[in-house]
Amino acid sequence: MASDSESNNDGGGLFEGYQPLAGAFDEFCAMDGSPRPEAVRVVERLDDLGRRAFMERQRLADGSFLKAGVTFSVYSDRGGVERIFPFDLVPRIVDGAAWDRLEAGLIQRVTALNLFLQDMYGEQRILAEGKVPREIALGSSGYLEAMHGIQPPHGVYIHVCGVDLVRDPNGEFLVLEDNARSPSGVSYVLENRTMMKRILPRVFSESRVRSVDAYPARLLSAFNELAPEPRERPRVVVLSPGPFNSAYFEHSFLARRMGCDLVLPDDLFVHDDEVFVKTTHGPTRVDVIYRRIDDAFLDPEVFRPDSMLGVRGLIRAYRAGNVTIANAFGNGVCDDKAIYPYVPEMIRFYMSEEPIVQQVPTLICAEQDALEQVLADLGNYVVKAVDASGGYGMLVGPTSTKEQIEEFRARLKENPRGYIAQPLIELSTCPTWTSSGLSPRRVDLRPYVITGRETWVLPGGLTRVALREGSYVVNSSQGGGSKDTWVLEPDSQEDSP
Amino acid sequence: MISRQAECCFWMHRQVERAENAARLLAVNRSFILDVAQPEAQQWWPIVVVTGEQERIRTVLGDDAATQGDAIQDYLTWNPDNPVSIYSSIRWARENARTVREVISLEMWETINGFWHWLTRGQGRRLYNEDVDAFYRRVRDLGSTFSGTCHNTMLHEDPFDFMRLGMLLERAGWTARILDVKHHMLGPMEDNGPASPLESAHAMALLRSCSATEPFFKQVQHAPTPRVVVGFLLFAGNFPRSLLHCLDRAMNFLRRVRPESGRTGARSMALLGDLLDDTNSLSLETVFERGLHTELTRIIDSIAKVCDAVSADYFHPDIGQLTAGGQQTQSQSQG
C-alpha cells in the first residue's frame, strides 16, 4: 500500500540536526553526527523520505497494529487494558560481521547454560569442584529438586532462550541477563518486520536485511526432533495461561505460524502417565508441549497442591518420558541473576573455551564484602532482585531519588541473597522518533536462540527502546517500545567469491 | 478439534448473529412505532420481552421502564451489564475470536476486531447519536460481512461447522421469539379474510424484523395476513431465517461434526433430530389448534436443550467416560 519510491523531502531531512547523546554509543552515528559506515545507506533512504512522509507512515503503522490486534495487556486496577506495543519506524541496525561474532557467542553461551542444567540435575560436578558456590546454586528459587534424574530428550533443557544484550560506550555487546524459562517478544520481531516491509518497502529492499521468517519453522523442527520417540507427525501444542495473559497474542501467533493448536491447562489431562487433549472427537495424545506458563502453575501435584491451575500429573508423564516439555522444568536455576556472574566460568568448565561475548561485572550481595561495597555507594549501582524480571524490583541508583535509594537500602540489608548489583552501563542509543523529531533513545537487544538437535540464532531479535528521555528502562510495562532489528549483509562488492 | 476452541467458535458466530438480530429488531421497531399509534408503554416493551431482559431492565430504569423508549434502546444497545446488549454481544464475539485467533482466518479476525474498535473508540457512539438507523444498519452489515467472510475464508471443516451451528441455532431462536412476542398483536389467526390495517402493519413489521419482506412477496404473492406470515416464517424451507431452514441446516452441521463412530454426539443429534422431524411434520393448522404461543414455547425450550446437549457432547466432555471408552487413546487399559 504505502509507496516510498519517490523522493519527497517535505518538512526537511529526517536526520537533520540529529545529535547523539554524550557518553553513549550511538547505533547510527559517530560523536560528530556523521553516519557509521553500516548506517550510511539507511540514513540516506530515511532522509529522502522526509519528515512529513515519515510521520504519516508512523501513523499508518500504529493503526495497522491496532487493526491486526497486535497488542499486549497491561494490568491495572480496572483490569486488563489492551495496548499496542509502541513501535518506532527507525530500524536498529547491526553490521553483519559483528552479528556473526555475536551469534557464535550466543551459541556458546546457551550450550554452556544447557550443560550446567544437565549437571545441576545430575552429578553436580561444577559444585563439587567449587566453580559455582553450592549454597547459591541450591538456594536458587529456580532450582527444582523434582527434576533430579529426569533426562529430557537429547538432554535439551533450553529449547528457546532469550539473551538480553546491551552495548557499552565502546560499542561492545555485553550480556545483561539470560532468559531460559519462557522468554517472550519474538512475535513482535516478526510482526515488526512485516510492518517495515509494508510501510518502508524501498528503504527495506535496498538495505539487504537478513530474513527472520524462518523462526516458526525452526521452532517446529526443534520440537519435532525432540518428540519423545520417533513419531511420524508428533502432536505439538502451545500451552498458554489464557487470553488474559499479557503475552496471549504471542502464544496465539506462534501456534498459528507453526500450524499447531493453542491449548489452555484445562484442555489437557493426564491418564496413565500420558498427556491428552480434549477434542470434539475424544481425547488425543499430545507429544510436545511448548509451554508459556511458569513452573509454579504447571502441575499442582508437584508445585502448589492448593492450586487449581495447571495439569495434574504432567510431571509424572514427563518423568515417564511420554511427553517433551519446552522449556524444561527447573531452568530458573540457570538464569537466576545470582548465578549469572558464574556463566563465564561455566563456559570454561564445560567447554574449555573462553567466552566470546562478555558480560556486565556483577557483585553478589550475598557475599559480605560485595554487600558492603554496594551499600557504601548505593547511588552509583543498579541493584536487581535475583528472581524478578520485567524491570520490576530494581533500583537504578544514578537516576533515583534519595528516598528510593534509602528504601532500597533497607530491603537490601534485610535480604542480601535476594539481590545483585552492577555498575550502570551507559546503554547505547538509537535515533528514535519523538515529538521533537529524531532523538537518541537507549536500546537493548534480545536475540532468540532455538535448540533442537542443534542450536540456531534468529538474525537480529527484539530491540526494545526506552522512549522516555533519559530513561534506561526498556520494558514494555514501563514505557518501552520496540524497533525492527536489521542485521545487514555487507555491501555487494564482497559478495562475489 | 479441541473442545474449548469448538465452544469459542460456536459462541463467536452466535454472538455476532445475536447482535445483528437485536439491531434489526430495534431498527424495525423504530419505524413501526412511527407508523402505528400505540400507547407509550407498548411501544418498546415487546422488544425487551424478546431479549428476556424484563427483570434486569426494571432494576436499571425503574418500574416505569416500559415508557422510557430512548433509555430502552440505549440499554439494549450499549449497556455493558446487559449480557445481550449489542455492545456485550460484540465484545464477547471479539473476545472469543481473540481466544481462538489461531483457529479463525485473518480476515474474520480483522472484521470483528475492526468493528469492536469502531464501536468502542468513539465513531460508533457518534453515529448512534447522529443517525441511529444508520448505526443499526452498520451492525447488521457486520453480521453479513462476518458470515460471508467466514464462509469464504475458512476451511469448511470442524471450526467452520461449529460456527455455523451456533449461528443457526441462535437465528432459529430469534425467529421463534420474535413471532411469539408479536403473536398476540396479530389478531385472530383462524380468520383467512383480509387483515385490518393494524394487523397488516404488525405483519409487515414481523417480516421486516426477519429481513423477510422481499422473500415473502417473491414466494407467497399474497397480502401479508398474519396467518400467512407466520406460516412463511416457520415453514418456508428456502428462506434462510425461517425456523425450518435454520433447524435443517443446523442438523447438517451437527452431522458433519459428529465422529464417524462411537457414542459422541448421540444426545444432541437425537434432540435436534426430534425437533426437526416435529417441525417438518407440523402443519399451520396444528400450530393454531394447539395455540401459537404454546408451540413456540415448546420450540424455544427444545432449541435451548439442543444447545445444552451440544455443549455436553462436544465442549465439556466427561473425561472419565472418554478415557474408559478409549477411542484414540493408547493407554494400557486397552490392552
Side-chain angles (χ1 to χ4, degrees), chain B residues 223-292:
Chain B
T225 64
R227 187 183 174 88
V228 181
V229 166
V230 170
F232 184 79
L233 292 180
L234 286 181
F235 301 126
N238 56 353
F239 173 60
R241 293 187 178 274
S242 75
L243 180 72
L244 187 61
H245 177 91
C246 293
L247 295 178
D248 182 62
R249 296 305 296 155
M251 189 64 183
N252 167 61
F253 288 110
L254 198 54
R255 264 192 214 106
R256 285 169 50 104
V257 297
R258 193 173 176 199
E260 277 170 22
S261 59
R263 292 278 307 151
T264 305
R267 184 168 158 72
S268 49
M269 183 74 101
L271 284 174
L272 184 56
D274 288 349
L275 178 58
L276 182 59
D277 288 347
D278 278 0
T279 311
N280 256 321
S281 62
L282 210 57
S283 70
L284 202 52
E285 285 70 31
T286 324
V287 170
F288 288 123
E289 258 170 47
R290 294 180 187 163
L292 181 59

Side-chain angles (χ1 to χ4, degrees), chain A residues 165-397:
Chain A
L165 302 167
V166 296
R167 221 166 174 185
D168 72 10
N170 300 319
E172 185 78 24
F173 280 104
L174 302 175
V175 175
L176 189 64
E177 61 183 61
D178 305 290
N179 297 275
R181 284 164 289 175
S182 63
S184 63
V186 73
S187 58
Y188 297 106
V189 176
L190 304 186
E191 288 287 5
N192 288 353
R193 176 60 54 86
T194 306
M195 188 62 71
M196 287 297 265
K197 285 183 183 168
R198 245 186 70 201
I199 301 275
L200 296 174
R202 178 154 172 253
V203 182
F204 184 83
S205 67
E206 293 185 2
S207 301
R208 298 168 47 84
V209 181
R210 287 192 196 168
S211 169
V212 296
D213 293 344
Y215 186 89
R218 285 278 183 168
L219 192 58
L220 186 62
S221 310
F223 294 151
N224 285 334
E225 286 163 18
L226 301 180
E229 60 196 54
R231 304 255 160 95
E232 201 161 306
R233 209 183 154 194
R235 181 155 191 148
V236 179
V237 297
V238 177
L239 177 60
S240 165
F244 300 106
N245 185 271
S246 62
Y248 188 75
F249 166 76
E250 174 156 308
H251 307 159
S252 152
F253 175 90
L254 290 172
R256 191 156 27 99
R257 297 290 287 267
M258 288 193 289
C260 64
D261 280 311
L262 175 84
V263 300
L264 310 190
D266 276 353
D267 297 333
L268 300 179
F269 67 95
V270 177
H271 179 72
D272 281 352
D273 290 351
E274 301 208 26
V275 184
F276 294 90
V277 58
K278 299 174 202 165
T279 80
T280 56
H281 285 200
T284 308
R285 191 167 145 167
V286 171
D287 303 304
V288 181
I289 300 175
Y290 178 36
R291 52 94 171 209
R292 298 293 298 264
I293 298 184
D294 289 346
D295 281 4
F297 299 105
L298 264 181
D299 182 354
E301 266 183 21
V302 174
F303 298 101
R304 294 192 178 187
D306 56 327
S307 169
M308 295 299 290
L309 303 167
V311 184
R312 191 167 290 280
L314 190 58
I315 305 283
R316 272 190 284 117
Y318 187 53
R319 186 182 290 277
N322 289 332
V323 64
T324 299
I325 295 177
N327 289 352
F329 299 94
N331 284 8
V333 67
C334 86
D335 65 8
D336 187 311
K337 291 188 176 71
I339 293 291
Y340 161 91
Y342 302 98
V343 177
E345 203 49 49
M346 292 174 199
I347 295 172
R348 294 183 195 107
F349 183 76
Y350 296 116
M351 305 174 73
S352 307
E353 293 174 10
E354 276 305 307
I356 299 169
V357 184
Q358 304 306 309
Q359 60 181 46
V360 180
T362 302
L363 293 164
I364 298 164
C365 301
E367 292 170 1
Q368 191 58 34
D369 293 356
L371 179 64
E372 277 164 23
Q373 191 182 332
V374 173
L375 287 173
D377 195 16
L378 195 51
N380 278 322
Y381 283 101
V382 177
V383 186
K384 298 175 180 171
V386 292
D387 53 2
S389 61
Y392 294 104
M394 66 186 281
L395 172 79
V396 182

Side-chain angles (χ1 to χ4, degrees), chain B residues 77-144:
Chain B
T77 307
W78 291 105
N79 194 310
D81 300 323
N82 168 6
V84 296
S85 68
I86 290 174
Y87 175 93
S88 296
S89 296
I90 299 296
R91 175 173 160 213
W92 289 114
R94 191 253 182 184
E95 198 53 32
N96 276 313
R98 190 170 82 85
T99 304
V100 291
R101 174 62 195 85
E102 78 287 359
V103 177
I104 65 175
S105 64
L106 173 68
E107 291 85 348
M108 287 187 74
W109 165 244
E110 289 193 343
T111 302
I112 188 69
N113 188 48
F115 193 81
W116 169 247
H117 288 309
W118 178 82
L119 192 69
T120 54
R121 290 182 182 242
Q123 287 159 288
R125 190 82 213 195
R126 273 198 296 281
L127 186 60
Y128 182 83
N129 293 339
E130 284 161 15
D131 184 352
V132 65
D133 290 320
F135 172 87
Y136 288 132
R137 181 59 199 247
R138 281 292 294 271
V139 180
R140 288 165 53 193
D141 288 349
L142 168 77
S144 299

Side-chain angles (χ1 to χ4, degrees), chain A residues 15-20 26 28-36 43 47:
Chain A
F15 280 84
E16 216 174 274
Y18 178 72
Q19 193 53 50
D26 191 272
F28 270 63
C29 300
M31 256 339 280
D32 63 1
S34 63
R36 298 184 185 284
V43 168
D47 256 344

